[in-house]
Amino acid sequence: MRRRATEYRRPVRRRLSCWIWVFIVLFSIAGFGSFFIQHSYQGGRDHVEQQPLLEINPRNDRVVHEARNFTEEILSPQSYARQLSQQMTLAKAYVIIAKEHKNLHLAWELSSKIRSCQLLLSKAAMREEPISVAEAEPIIKSLSSLIFKAQDAHYDIATTMMTMKSHIQALEERANAATIQSTVFGQLAAESLPKNLQCVDIKLTSDWLQNESIQKLTAENKNSPRLVDNNLYHFCIFSDNLLAVSVVVNSTVSNAEHPKQLVFHIVTNGVKYGAMQAWFLTNDFKGAAIQVQNIQDFTWLNASYSPVVKQLLDADSRKYYFEGSQDYTDVEPKFRHPKYISLLNHIRFYIPDIYPHLEKIVFLDDDVVVQKDLTPLFSLDLHGNVNGAVETCLEAFHRYYKYLNFSNPLISAKFDPQACGWAFGMNVFDLVAWRKQNVTGKYHYWQEQNSDKSLWKLGTLPPGLLAFYGSTEPLDRRWHVLGLGYDPNIDNRLIETAAVIHYSGNMKPWLKLSLSRYRPLWEQYVDQSHQYIRDCVTT
């Protein structure tokens, strides 16, 4: 065999000496030992960091607990409070199941341990300290034993799930019933008139009947030329709430630059007519002219002229509102408000008929407060439109399809479902354009088409959206801010810059259920110094 050249030969493998191997082994052992010690130290430190609530006092060898929020304690997955609360929840479920199966002794045992658990949790919460092992262990063991005992008594998971499901359904039904009941009670509270306001009405009505000078002054003011002067600023309010109307008038004149140029046209019913006359004739509103009319004197507003009058006189409608018929259980409680059957709520569509000599007027609801001078509204260019109003379609639910039945071809063929809605409450009406476009006639047409309530439910806004469709001029949002009767989170800056704030919703400012945040804005315009208001205050 031929030998390779020297440069091609494999190098000879030299063995390491024994000392080198010993050194490598010792170094490895030292490394593993160091790693183990470091790991043990880190684990111990982590254990200490996970339990920062315990500290040993070397002087007296007692455990000192750092104060801790009990909510954090019960939410901590490693705390005994969390374990106790979870066991207690499960035990409560087995109490219900045990009672249903007539195992009253087991139910009593579980209830007893639940009370012990609740007592321990309450004590821990009061002393602001975590529950110790010694405190938690007996209860946890006893509760676990009872829960296992309940499971052995054939209260298995399937039975537990079925039982709890039935109880959840029962609770949901009770919650729904309570919600409906709460809505109905809230609606009743919103419809009621406080005793102090009724007291003021009675006193003023008495004055009207006994004081002949007030009645003579009423006759003299009926023919005042200011009532038909189109160079003045005319406002109309339709209501049977004396104090609310007074606040609207008082807030308007208080913020007007020239209050003597304002004229207020108030229409009320026969019951409140005397009280309204007595109030506005015996109080000064900075020289503004005030006219009070009785809707019952509008003999032209009858069933032969107005379809809505015919519908409101219908026997079924009156039965629904005044007898509480149970045939309409699918109707929302808010639609059962008696205001929907009141002519005072519908005569806004007859403003040109009520004031035939006027050319422009501002309509105000009785639940608004005026904060700015409103006379600039009369110089706004409505671009030939009839109604100047603030649009409310910033949210989707204020568009036409939310108010009207677009499954009906009469609606879907003529209107855009995405058209923007607007608000009644502060509206500028060009009465010349109104008469020219025959808006009242359009209103009559849609009321006749809706005799079976197939186009919309109730109220005045849906027919208003139809009658003024294509004839509404959008106004700056600051003219009219809504929602103070239901929304507690309206931006203060929006309220401060608003010309008119509207307590739309059930929480009216004259009711106890009103939102306290907004009530002072309304109360500042109530004449608290008036003798009748002071006498009628109820505690």
Side-chain angles (χ1 to χ4, degrees), residues 503 508-524:
Y503 291 81
K508 302 302 183 186
W510 53 84
L511 300 175
K512 289 184 178 180
L513 54 80
S514 63
L515 295 169
S516 58
R517 176 188 169 196
Y518 309 129
R519 193 183 303 124
L521 299 173
W522 184 85
E523 289 180 337
Q524 65 179 318

Side-chain angles (χ1 to χ4, degrees), residues 15 57-58 78 121 173 319 408-409 426:
R15 295 182 179 179
N57 189 333
Q78 297 179 348
L121 290 172
E173 292 176 0
K319 180 181 179 181
N408 192 302
M426 196 289 297

